[in-house]
Amino acid sequence: MVRETWGTRVGFILAAVGSAVGLGNIWRFPFLTGESGGAAFLFVYLAFVVFIGLPVLIVEFVIGRRSNRNVIGAFKELDNPNWQFAGFVGALAGFIILSYYSVVGGWVIQYFVSSFTGAYAGDAAAYFGQAATGTNAIVAHAIFMGLVAGIVAFGVRDGLERAAKLMVPSIIALLVILAGYGATLSGSSEAYAYYLSPNLDTILSNLGSIAPAAAGQAFFTLSLGMGVMVTYASYISEDRSLLQDAGTIVVVDTSIAFLAGLVVFPFLFTQGVEPGAGGAGAVFISLAAAFSSLPAGGLIGAVFFFTLGIAALTSAFSILEVVVSYVIDTFDVERRNATLVLAVIIFAVGIPTAIDLTWLDVYDKFANNILLILGGLLMSLFIGWVYADQGVDELTKGGPSKGLATGWLWVVRVVIPVVLAYTLYLGATEYWAFLMETF
Ligand code: PFF
């Protein structure tokens, strides 16, 4: 079978941005910033995005474009079959993340529909209870997974690229509209003060916990560690600057996360809701309550949840593509069959998280705190120490000078492994404590 490629450079960039922009930007980022000292946190986070996120993104691009293979097969193609386990770690992370990402996608679908019927307008917490778990959650999970598989089944150009070209500009336009509307709300000035004024004390006294949180978020938001970016780069058919593409993706992803904060906080502050910790559920409950208190809130809710839904979709299909790409490359089967079988299996794996929210935490922490970071660490070690010369060679094709590429290599060799190993250590310790507490 001839391997597929992107139709255009813009198509590739939009697809990668679509993967990056998701629940992580619209929900997780604003809360993390709010909790961790507002604008001061923004600077710590930006530093991690530039010094950790960007170099690892380039690592994945280099592996993908050099090999033209999926995240596991890539290492064999690059003459290091022993390193295939690095790809396995990533693909496993994808498997697990997609299984519950789709459950949360199912919540978004239910909230979108309920914006019209007014179902969450009464008791927002009770509504969340019956939407998030049980039959409703499982059915909505099936629908979301069906949409994801429907797009992936059409292939790289007709599925992923076309969907991204349509959806990513829509996400940006809708967020701008929502932020504009948010600015007119009574709580907006209080919201901006909370979000944008730096609180240095919070930062300095919590640096120990803020730094790993910022590193983890930088990783998650750029879809790193599980081979999405390897897979997407493997469909690039020409040599052009990977550094430029990666830079564009980082800037757009960060801007959208920032914009999302300008959307979320005015709604909450107008409601008098103090945005604190509270996990996946809290934001659904407080935002739903905020929407139902506003005139024409149903319409605003519908627009918000629609935006969140397509953002989740463009991330979810990038994850499914990682495993579909592996199965197609390895077993030479039809894309449609591979997609169908994998979607059914991942749907089944996600069912426990749609029955009991504890499982959602168990899955989420394992994949994010451990597997993603480990995947990124292994891929960086591979490029930094095993495949360094060829890596630099690949990066300079159509791209930056040899000097710049060598600078990148040293960051990948030394800085990234140290930071990621430490983050992994903290993540694993935290996960262990969480398991002990839960079971
Ligand atoms: N980047 C996505 C977000 O911010 O919501 C989530 C994600 C997608 C993480 C794909 C990892 C991944 F491979």
Side-chain angles (χ1 to χ4, degrees):
M1 242 186 291
V2 181
R3 213 161 180 282
E4 296 170 88
T5 55
W6 300 108
T8 61
R9 177 177 195 170
V10 171
F12 159 69
I13 292 177
L14 286 177
V17 166
S19 173
V21 173
L23 299 168
N25 301 61
I26 301 181
W27 159 66
R28 202 162 182 252
F29 173 76
F31 280 82
L32 213 58
T33 307
E35 268 168 35
S36 320
F41 173 79
L42 222 58
F43 287 102
V44 179
Y45 169 78
L46 283 180
F48 276 100
V49 165
V50 173
F51 293 107
I52 306 295
L54 183 63
V56 178
L57 180 56
I58 295 173
V59 163
E60 293 208 17
F61 278 177
V62 162
I63 296 176
R65 190 176 71 182
R66 183 88 174 180
S67 66
N68 288 127
R69 281 292 170 281
N70 64 85
V71 65
I72 299 171
F75 294 95
K76 196 156 143 199
E77 190 70 22
L78 302 180
D79 300 324
N80 280 281
N82 290 339
W83 280 80
Q84 284 185 100
F85 77 95
F88 269 109
V89 171
L92 178 64
F95 220 83
I96 297 175
I97 291 182
L98 182 55
S99 77
Y100 69 79
Y101 209 85
S102 166
V103 170
V104 179
W107 301 354
V108 178
I109 293 178
Q110 295 182 74
Y111 272 86
F112 173 68
V113 173
S114 300
S115 300
F116 294 101
T117 63
Y120 60 61
D123 184 340
Y127 177 80
F128 179 76
Q130 52 101 4
T133 51
T135 317
N136 291 337
I138 295 174
V139 171
H141 167 40
I143 295 173
F144 188 84
M145 191 62 95
L147 291 172
V148 174
I151 293 168
V152 171
F154 276 100
V156 174
R157 286 189 193 189
D158 295 339
L160 313 181
E161 185 165 348
R162 203 192 291 173
K165 276 185 167 163
L166 200 70
M167 290 177 179
V168 173
S170 312
I171 295 167
I172 299 175
L174 292 170
L175 282 176
V176 169
I177 292 171
L178 286 166
Y181 178 82
T184 68
L185 295 173
S186 60
S188 60
S189 45
E190 206 188 334
Y192 300 149
Y194 171 82
Y195 183 41
L196 301 177
S197 60
N199 184 341
L200 272 182
D201 287 346
T202 316
I203 279 265
L204 291 177
S205 53
N206 297 310
L207 202 60
S209 63
I210 283 175
Q217 174 66 8
F219 230 67
F220 184 77
T221 188
L222 290 172
S223 300
L224 298 175
M226 47 171 287
V228 164
M229 297 302 179
V230 173
T231 309
Y232 273 15
S234 77
Y235 300 131
I236 297 177
S237 55
E238 44 187 320
D239 289 340
R240 61 198 182 211
S241 175
L242 291 176
L243 176 65
Q244 234 175 56
D245 288 2
T248 308
I249 291 159
V250 165
V251 169
V252 178
D253 179 68
T254 309
S255 311
I256 293 181
F258 180 72
L259 184 58
L262 297 179
V263 172
V264 171
F265 288 124
F267 284 109
L268 297 183
F269 275 90
T270 301
Q271 256 306 94
V273 177
E274 182 60 32
V283 69
F284 281 86
I285 296 171
S286 2
L287 280 175
F291 294 140
S292 44
S293 75
L294 292 168
L299 178 64
I300 297 154
V303 174
F304 178 82
F305 288 115
F306 179 77
T307 312
L308 192 57
I310 54 176
L313 208 54
T314 53
S315 298
F317 69 61
S318 74
I319 311 180
L320 184 57
E321 181 63 24
V322 171
V323 271
V324 165
S325 174
Y326 166 69
V327 169
I328 297 176
D329 280 350
T330 314
F331 305 105
D332 204 23
V333 293
E334 286 287 332
R335 171 174 280 271
R336 276 170 197 228
N337 300 340
T339 307
L340 181 68
V341 171
L342 287 165
V344 169
I345 298 173
I346 296 173
F347 166 73
V349 173
I351 288 176
T353 69
I355 292 174
D356 181 346
L357 289 184
T358 311
W359 282 105
L360 200 128
D361 254 359
V362 173
Y363 281 38
D364 177 66
K365 288 190 161 61
F366 180 58
N368 286 323
N369 290 3
I370 299 177
L371 293 179
L372 279 191
I373 306 290
L374 183 61
L377 176 61
L378 292 172
M379 286 191 261
S380 301
L381 287 174
F382 174 73
I383 286 293
W385 297 97
V386 179
Y387 206 70
D389 293 346
Q390 300 95 317
V392 168
D393 175 59
E394 186 62 33
L395 179 56
T396 50
K397 279 187 197 159
S401 64
K402 183 105 198 244
L404 208 56
T406 309
W408 161 78
L409 180 68
W410 280 98
V411 173
V412 170
R413 273 198 169 155
V414 182
V415 181
I416 307 265
V418 170
V419 175
L420 291 187
Y422 183 61
T423 309
L424 182 63
Y425 162 75
L426 290 177
T429 325
E430 195 189 305
Y431 189 61
W432 183 248
F434 165 77
L435 286 182
M436 290 294 109
E437 206 178 288
T438 311
F439 294 104

